[in-house]
Amino acid sequence: MTSIAFLLCLTLTASWSYGKERLIIRVGESFPNYYQDENGDWQGVDVELARALVVRAGFEYEFRSIPWSRALVMAKEGQIDILANANITAERSEYLYWIGPERYTQLNLVVRKELLDMPINSLDDLVTQCKKNRGLFGYQRNVKYTPEFHRRLETDPEFAACLESVVQPLNDDKVLHQRLLGYFDEPFDIVLERKRDPQYALVVHPFVLLKEPVFIGVSKKGVNVDSLIKLFEAYESLLLDGTLEKIRSQWMQEG
C-alpha cells in the first residue's frame, strides 16, 4: 500500500481517536546518530530528523535514552512513541507503523588517504587488492553485511583469507599503522571525525559494501490514528520542501 493510500485509510478512521500533545522519542548513546553535547542537549543525525518530523507535525517532544532491546519492548507496550533509525521486520511491523525512509544507512570501505584511489568496485576487487598490497581488510563478526559477503566468507577460502575479524575500537589503529588495508564503517563516523580533527588520516573510499533504508517506527499502541496522520503529513511536507535532504547532507559535509 502506498503512503497516500495508507494515509487515506487512516483519515477514514481518525474520527475515533484523540491526538497527543507530546511524543516520546527514543535515543541512545550511538555517535553520530545520538549524542549529548556539552550542555546535555541531544544532537545527532537521527535526533535532528526525528525532531524535525515531530515539530513539523505540531507536537512537543521528549528524548529518553533507552537501550535498543528495551526500547522495542516499550514501543510494543506503548510506553514510548517513536524509534528512529529502525529496520523494517515482520515482527516489528506487528506493533510499529513505518514512516520513511528516514535516511539510508551504508557501509563504505575506510582507508588511509594514500589508498583512496585503490581500484575496488566489488568483492572480487577486495581479493585482488589484498594480494597486490599484501594486506587484509577488517570486518566485525557481529555486524550484518550483505548476504553475498557472508556467503563468501563461509564458502570461499580465498575471500576469507583476505579478511580479519577486528573489534571496532581497534580498526582505526590497525589501518593507521598499516596493519590493515581498510575496514567497513558508516561514512558518518569518518566524516565527523575529520570535522573534529582535520589531520585525521582516514577517509571514506567510494566502494559501498551495503546501502539500505532505515525508517522511523511509530508505536501502534502509543500513537493513535489522529497523531499518526499528522506525522505522515509532516513527513511528506519535509520531503517535498527538501528539509530532510538538507539535514542528511549537512551531516555528510566535511569542514
Side-chain angles (χ1 to χ4, degrees):
M1 181 183 293
T2 66
S3 60
I4 294 176
F6 185 52
L7 190 59
L8 178 60
C9 290
L10 292 175
T11 303
L12 295 176
T13 60
S15 58
W16 300 338
S17 61
Y18 297 91
K20 301 181 70 172
E21 294 183 357
R22 177 186 294 267
L23 299 182
I24 300 172
I25 304 171
R26 180 265 174 187
V27 290
E29 297 291 346
S30 178
F31 183 87
N33 305 77
Y34 324 91
Y35 67 95
Q36 287 179 288
D37 62 19
E38 61 274 9
N39 298 317
D41 296 323
W42 284 100
Q43 307 291 344
V45 58
D46 290 313
V47 169
E48 287 197 28
L49 290 167
R51 180 163 46 209
L53 176 71
V54 169
V55 170
R56 180 66 64 88
F59 299 107
E60 296 181 358
Y61 59 88
E62 176 186 342
F63 291 120
R64 289 190 190 175
S65 181
I66 306 168
W68 181 249
S69 58
R70 182 149 60 92
L72 291 173
V73 175
M74 293 177 71
K76 187 175 183 178
E77 296 300 320
Q79 297 170 341
I80 58 174
D81 302 309
I82 288 180
L83 303 173
N85 188 27
N87 297 108
I88 295 177
T89 69
E91 179 183 0
R92 294 174 186 174
S93 295
E94 293 179 2
Y95 56 88
L96 293 174
Y97 293 114
W98 299 105
I99 296 178
E102 169 200 344
R103 62 181 179 87
Y104 284 82
T105 183
Q106 66 186 58
L107 293 174
N108 278 68
L109 183 62
V110 177
V111 298
R112 298 186 304 279
K113 290 180 182 179
E114 62 267 26
L115 296 179
L116 183 59
D117 295 327
M118 188 164 45
I120 295 179
N121 296 291
S122 67
L123 297 183
D124 287 335
D125 291 339
L126 288 176
V127 177
T128 300
Q129 294 304 315
C130 165
K131 294 177 178 178
K132 179 179 178 180
N133 292 281
R134 298 182 179 180
L136 304 178
F137 295 95
Y139 78 101
Q140 299 176 70
R141 289 188 182 275
N142 62 337
V143 172
K144 183 186 75 171
Y145 300 104
T146 64
E148 178 66 8
F149 182 95
H150 290 291
R151 185 191 67 78
R152 292 190 61 171
L153 187 62
E154 295 175 0
T155 63
D156 184 343
E158 187 177 44
F159 180 75
C162 289
L163 296 169
E164 177 181 326
S165 176
V166 182
V167 179
Q168 171 62 24
L170 299 178
N171 281 331
D172 278 16
D173 286 343
K174 286 203 169 191
V175 176
L176 288 169
H177 292 91
Q178 302 185 32
R179 294 196 293 271
L180 284 176
L181 294 173
Y183 68 95
F184 302 100
D185 202 352
E186 276 264 16
F188 278 131
D189 296 353
I190 306 306
V191 170
L192 290 178
E193 194 63 47
R194 288 177 61 79
K195 285 182 179 180
R196 293 190 296 187
D197 179 10
Q199 303 304 314
Y200 185 66
L202 298 186
V203 294
V204 178
H205 188 279
F207 177 56
V208 178
L209 177 64
L210 172 70
K211 184 174 182 178
E212 60 184 9
V214 292
F215 295 77
I216 289 177
V218 180
S219 169
K220 291 183 178 180
K221 193 170 183 179
V223 176
N224 50 46
V225 173
D226 187 53
S227 299
L228 183 63
I229 290 172
K230 293 179 181 178
L231 290 169
F232 268 104
E233 291 175 339
Y235 175 80
E236 294 295 332
S237 173
L238 292 167
L239 193 64
L240 289 173
D241 71 11
T243 299
L244 293 180
E245 185 56 35
K246 182 178 179 181
I247 293 173
R248 298 167 189 145
S249 298
Q250 286 175 341
W251 282 91
M252 285 302 296
Q253 290 175 358
E254 296 199 31

